[in-house]
Amino acid sequence: MVKKAIIPAAGYGTRSLPITKAVPKEMFPVWNKPAIQIVVEEAVEAGIEEILIIVSRRKNVIIDYFDRSVELESHLKKVNKSHLLDEQEPPAVNIHYVRQPYARGLGDAVLLGKSFAGNDPFAILLPDDIIVNGKTSGLSQLVEIRNKHKGNVLALKEIPLERLHKYGVVKAEQKEESLYKIMDIVEKPLKDPPSRMAVIGRYLLNPDIFSYLEQVKPGAGGEIQLTDAIRMLIKDQPCFGKVIEGKRFDIGSFEEYLALNEYMYQNGQKS
């Protein structure tokens, strides 16, 4: 069973400037919750018991948010608003933190979780990606595949050809409906992508990935790419791709962020 998860949240948020100079993208509100809380709740729903959030020194607000606020609790009781206490209760999961001193890529951030993961398989959830599904969460769908087929599992979505240069793109062999065996993966291909199937922000990986991450040299954008380590990993271990059921929104895109809030409103998620 997968009980641990890493949530990288140390990036600069350059796509969302200038607001991210002061407000981390992970704290963007999706109605009355920050995006990162929605991702944490998804992890809890999938059975995760321990979460490591990778932060930078500019993102202490994330740590503060998941901490208890004794002053607020006292105030709510004092003004007879105790009914609001449940709404600000932290998620029922153990959350740990580590700082990434320099933003050197997703692979570098994940590598900071080596001692946290230990010898256990673990999930990675990117808080840029919000996956909404009225039945089963994105990470729960990956857990179901791992329980059935073992191995590593990546979340996939079919992406328009003109946007594939922004993603890790897989070469894969279809095994079942919405399930693929991944044969190769390329980070942000500028031409001739191997397919239109791209990895979105959910992963289930064996701890062996860390030994490959330690070998990775800076790749696309001069960063340590998780994709490059996965490319080495799949030569030695089975890796599956699950086409995620549900809608996926990238909150780093202003248009998709607005669309997410509109979707939540239309589907009665407003609090």
Side-chain angles (χ1 to χ4, degrees):
M1 298 293 291
V2 181
K3 298 296 183 182
K4 297 178 180 179
I6 295 174
I7 301 179
Y12 290 117
T14 53
R15 290 187 296 159
S16 300
L17 286 169
I19 186 63
T20 44
K21 288 175 63 178
V23 180
K25 182 169 49 181
E26 297 82 7
M27 294 300 294
F28 283 5
V30 179
W31 290 119
N32 66 335
K33 293 180 181 179
I36 196 168
Q37 181 172 345
I38 294 174
V39 174
V40 167
E41 290 173 351
E42 177 184 338
V44 173
E45 180 184 335
I48 297 299
E49 298 176 356
E50 301 275 342
I51 293 177
L52 177 68
I53 302 180
I54 313 295
V55 296
S56 67
R57 66 181 182 85
R58 300 169 50 251
K59 298 199 176 181
N60 289 330
V61 65
I62 295 175
I63 301 174
D64 293 340
Y65 178 79
F66 286 113
D67 197 2
R68 287 188 60 185
S69 174
V70 177
E71 296 87 352
L72 177 58
E73 292 172 13
S74 176
H75 172 74
L76 292 175
K77 293 175 182 177
K78 183 178 180 180
V79 299
N80 296 318
K81 292 186 178 181
S82 295
H83 63 283
L84 296 176
L85 288 172
D86 290 343
E87 295 187 15
Q88 56 91 46
E89 187 71 20
V93 64
N94 293 320
I95 301 179
H96 313 271
Y97 304 91
V98 67
R99 279 186 174 179
Q100 184 184 24
Y102 305 100
R104 299 180 59 223
L106 176 58
D108 182 70
V110 171
L111 188 53
L112 293 173
K114 181 179 180 180
S115 60
F116 166 78
N119 295 320
D120 300 321
F122 64 100
I124 301 171
L125 300 94
L126 304 188
D128 280 13
D129 286 343
I130 303 296
I131 297 171
V132 290
N133 183 314
K135 298 178 181 178
T136 309
S137 71
L139 186 60
S140 293
Q141 293 177 51
L142 298 195
V143 170
E144 182 179 349
I145 296 300
R146 180 179 173 86
N147 290 342
K148 183 178 180 181
H149 296 279
K150 310 305 178 185
N152 306 276
V153 192
L154 313 181
L156 301 179
K157 271 289 187 183
E158 188 171 331
I159 300 294
L161 185 63
E162 65 273 13
R163 295 173 55 197
L164 286 175
H165 67 281
K166 300 179 180 180
Y167 294 86
V169 183
V170 302
K171 176 182 178 182
E173 174 185 327
Q174 188 167 7
K175 308 299 288 185
E176 301 173 9
E177 183 179 0
S178 78
L179 178 66
Y180 293 78
K181 184 173 183 182
I182 297 176
M183 315 304 292
D184 198 5
I185 184 170
V186 180
E187 178 68 15
K188 299 177 181 176
L190 297 178
K191 60 180 181 178
D192 300 325
S195 74
R196 288 180 56 187
M197 289 295 181
V199 180
I200 58 175
R202 303 293 184 270
Y203 308 73
L204 287 181
L205 297 172
N206 289 323
D208 308 81
I209 190 67
F210 293 111
S211 64
Y212 296 99
L213 279 169
E214 290 171 336
Q215 301 174 45
V216 169
K217 304 298 182 185
E223 299 180 337
I224 303 298
Q225 298 293 345
L226 177 62
T227 298
D228 293 340
I230 293 174
R231 191 178 196 187
M232 291 189 284
L233 176 71
I234 61 180
K235 295 178 181 179
D236 301 321
Q237 296 185 9
C239 187
F240 297 93
K242 171 69 170 77
V243 179
I244 294 297
E245 299 174 17
K247 291 185 174 291
R248 172 256 186 178
F249 298 89
D250 176 4
I251 65 168
S253 160
F254 185 63
E255 292 78 9
E256 291 193 32
Y257 173 67
L258 292 179
L260 169 60
N261 277 280
E262 177 66 18
Y263 177 89
M264 300 291 274
Y265 176 78
Q266 294 294 340
N267 287 272
Q269 299 298 315
K270 184 176 180 181
S271 298

